[in-house]
Every structure is written in C-alpha cells, then in structure tokens.
Amino acid sequence: MAADRSAGETLKRVLVTGATGFLGRRVVARLVERGIEVTAHGNSRAFRDLGEVRLDKRFDAVESMQGDLADYDIATDLLGSWRWNAVVNLAGPVTSGNEDLRTGIAVVTAHERIALHVKRFAEDARIVHASSMTVYGVPEQVDVDEYHPTRPVHLYGLAKLVAECILLVDPATDAWVLRLPGLFSEDRASGALFHFCRAARAGEPIRVTTATPTAWNVLHVDDAADAIVRALTATGKPRTAINISYDEPVDLIAVAKLIAAHAGAGSTVEAAVAHPPFRMNATRAKQSLGWKPPTLRERLTKLYADYAAT
C-alpha cells in the first residue's frame, strides 16, 4: 500500500509513459529542470534518444524505454523490475472520436490494459494519470465539477473513463487522475486555435465550422505540465478525478471573437450554429494542487502575438 506523501517530498526517479507526445515532452522537461532522474517511455515511434529533446544538453542523462504497455509480456518486461518513486501515465492512442467501431474498440482496450498494467506494477508508487474532458460527453450545465455525470459520446471518451475507473476504484492506490481539456501551444500547427489565428492574421473571416452545438474547452500544454508536476508531490489521496482548467466558461465563438479582436477591424467571425459555454470547475485543483494558472485571455493574447510574429 502506498503511503500518503508529506508536503514537498522530493522525488528521485519518475517514469513518464507516452513521453514522446505533445504533453509528454513538456513533462519530461519540467522534471529534468528539477533535477529528477527521468525514464522516458515511448511507443508510437522510435524516439532516437528523445529526438529533438536531445538538442538540449540537459536531457543527456534521460533514460529511454520503448514498447507497447498494452501488451502484458512487454509491460512485464519493462515495468516488472520497478525502480521509480512515481509514474506519469500519458500513454495510449489518441483519436478524434470519429473512428470506426473496430478502431474504437481497440482504443478502449489499449487504455484499459495500460491502466491495469501501470496499476499492477506501480503498487507502491504515486500514479499521476492524464484523463480528458471527453468523459463528460455533452454537459448538462455550464458549470461542470468532478461529480457531474460522466457520459462519453464516443469510444475515445469511454477509453479515458475506463482507465480512470481502474486507477481510482481501489482507495489504497495513490492515484491522481487529472481531467484535461484540449491542449494547445504556440508551436502546434493544428487545431481550432491555430486555424483561428491563421485566418485572423491573414485578414480572413474566422469560420467556426463545427456544425453541431459543441461544448469545448482548452488549456495551454505548459499549464497541463505544471498541474502534472504539482500532482507528483501533492499531499493526501483524492477519491475522484480532478478538473484542470482556467476555471472560466469557454465557448468556440467567444474565443474566435477574442482572437479576431487582436487582429483588428479586418477580421470577422462566421459560425453556422451557436455553441454552449463549458466551464470545467477547477475548485478542487486550486485546493489540492495550489493551482494558480494564468487566465485564458492571457494565454490567447500571447498565442496570437507569437503566431503574428512568425
């Protein structure tokens, strides 16, 4: 049984699964900066000693590990000789939610097995697990806290919910499950925010093309990494997942209008339908993690400025 951590406990060794991904690389960087010994696991591609991350000499000592953690034999080989104080679990396939049934079932199975294997081998370690706002499905109200019903509308959301249940079902497991919105950053050339900024900079209309009313929320990847690092040494044991957000209502059209305002009079917003605001209530994150993120407006202002500069 994993014991409760004392405030400020120092971690010596941390395993980061899914370390080659968009969020994983940020988490590895934060931990290395703190002088923590990191093992970086990847599966989707050979990461060649962490690829571009190795351009920073601070990463020379990061240990690399590769293999499919959804496979029991591979997971046993990689994790069986457990040597870490904590694990940040970011591994698992990510989909758009529009995949066919066969693919969707494979996604659910992969996330289920990864969660089971991590829990099995990290018996005496802290587990920090990245989940998703997709577990809520279509929210019943604007203000959504962690006790809001979870009703995912596609199989990726179900995959994230199943993994949550595996890690949280046993109160003896030292698991911190963080529900994250969609992630963005200045160097990610994809997603709604990138296309909004590109159109605004070009003086073109910002077109919100989502055809059905969509509850939507976003978080800068650096803020997500900060929350994960905080969870590694937070005290106590949460009994539910924790929302990580800017703790404010967010909707597609309002965000598009904010970006258009930065571009000046030449940019307008076009939308086929109205989209509901969605506030992921972050009260618990503030209480248990000391969560003090910037505002979404601050992040979007910097985002547009960086896009405009490049």
Side-chain angles (χ1 to χ4, degrees):
M1 178 184 299
D4 285 357
R5 293 183 180 277
S6 60
E9 178 180 340
T10 301
L11 292 174
K12 294 182 179 179
R13 295 179 298 278
V14 176
L15 168 65
V16 180
T17 72
T20 57
F22 180 52
L23 175 57
R25 286 177 287 176
R26 298 303 207 289
V27 172
V28 170
R30 293 291 183 94
L31 296 176
V32 169
E33 288 169 356
R34 289 171 173 251
I36 295 172
E37 181 181 330
V38 178
T39 300
H41 161 269
N43 177 50
S44 61
R45 59 185 173 89
F47 46 96
R48 301 175 184 176
D49 292 333
L50 293 183
E52 65 270 23
V53 175
R54 288 291 192 185
L55 296 176
D56 187 329
K57 293 300 182 182
R58 294 174 300 172
F59 291 83
D60 285 347
V62 173
E63 177 187 22
S64 301
M65 175 188 290
Q66 187 173 4
D68 183 3
L69 293 180
D71 183 292
Y72 178 79
D73 291 334
I74 294 174
T76 300
D77 182 54
L78 295 179
L79 307 180
S81 299
W82 192 266
R83 59 187 184 277
W84 302 280
N85 304 108
V87 52
V88 176
N89 185 39
L90 309 176
V94 178
T95 66
S96 65
N98 297 319
E99 62 277 355
D100 60 75
L101 180 61
R102 181 185 294 273
T103 301
I105 291 173
V107 169
V108 174
T109 301
H111 281 268
E112 171 195 15
R113 291 178 176 175
I114 291 169
L116 285 168
H117 297 157
V118 168
K119 180 180 179 181
R120 163 68 179 82
F121 293 107
E123 183 178 1
D124 296 318
R126 167 152 298 181
I127 301 170
V128 178
H129 174 79
S131 188
S132 166
M133 68 179 182
T134 58
V135 301
Y136 292 119
V138 180
E140 297 177 348
Q141 57 204 43
V142 173
D143 190 2
V144 176
D145 66 14
E146 291 83 358
Y147 295 99
H148 184 282
T150 49
R151 298 167 181 160
V153 296
H154 49 65
L155 287 170
Y156 176 71
L158 177 61
K160 303 303 287 187
L161 182 58
V162 169
E164 283 190 15
C165 294
I166 288 169
L167 295 172
L168 292 173
V169 67
D170 183 356
T173 302
D174 186 11
W176 289 68
V177 173
L178 308 183
R179 289 177 179 161
L180 305 177
L183 301 181
F184 70 94
S185 82
E186 292 77 7
D187 57 4
R188 189 172 208 181
S190 63
L193 294 182
F194 167 75
H195 293 292
F196 290 174
C197 289
R198 182 205 57 76
R201 184 185 176 200
E204 301 170 355
I206 298 176
R207 295 184 173 89
V208 182
T209 57
T210 305
T212 57
T214 303
W216 180 80
N217 209 299
V218 287
L219 183 73
H220 195 283
V221 66
D222 286 340
D223 298 324
D226 175 58
I228 286 170
V229 173
R230 287 173 179 268
L232 283 169
T233 55
T235 59
K237 287 182 186 175
R239 294 293 178 258
T240 66
I242 299 175
N243 287 340
I244 303 298
S245 79
Y246 295 119
D247 202 20
E248 55 189 274
V250 179
D251 74 83
L252 273 165
I253 297 174
V255 168
K257 288 181 176 179
L258 179 60
I259 292 174
H262 284 298
S267 186
T268 59
V269 176
E270 299 176 359
V273 297
H275 297 280
F278 176 21
R279 176 191 175 214
M280 291 180 69
N281 188 310
T283 299
R284 293 196 69 219
K286 293 175 180 178
Q287 294 172 343
S288 58
L289 300 177
W291 176 244
K292 297 178 181 178
T295 65
L296 178 58
R297 177 180 289 272
E298 289 170 337
R299 279 301 194 189
L300 292 179
T301 298
K302 184 177 185 302
L303 178 75
Y304 183 77
D306 285 356
Y307 277 146
T310 57

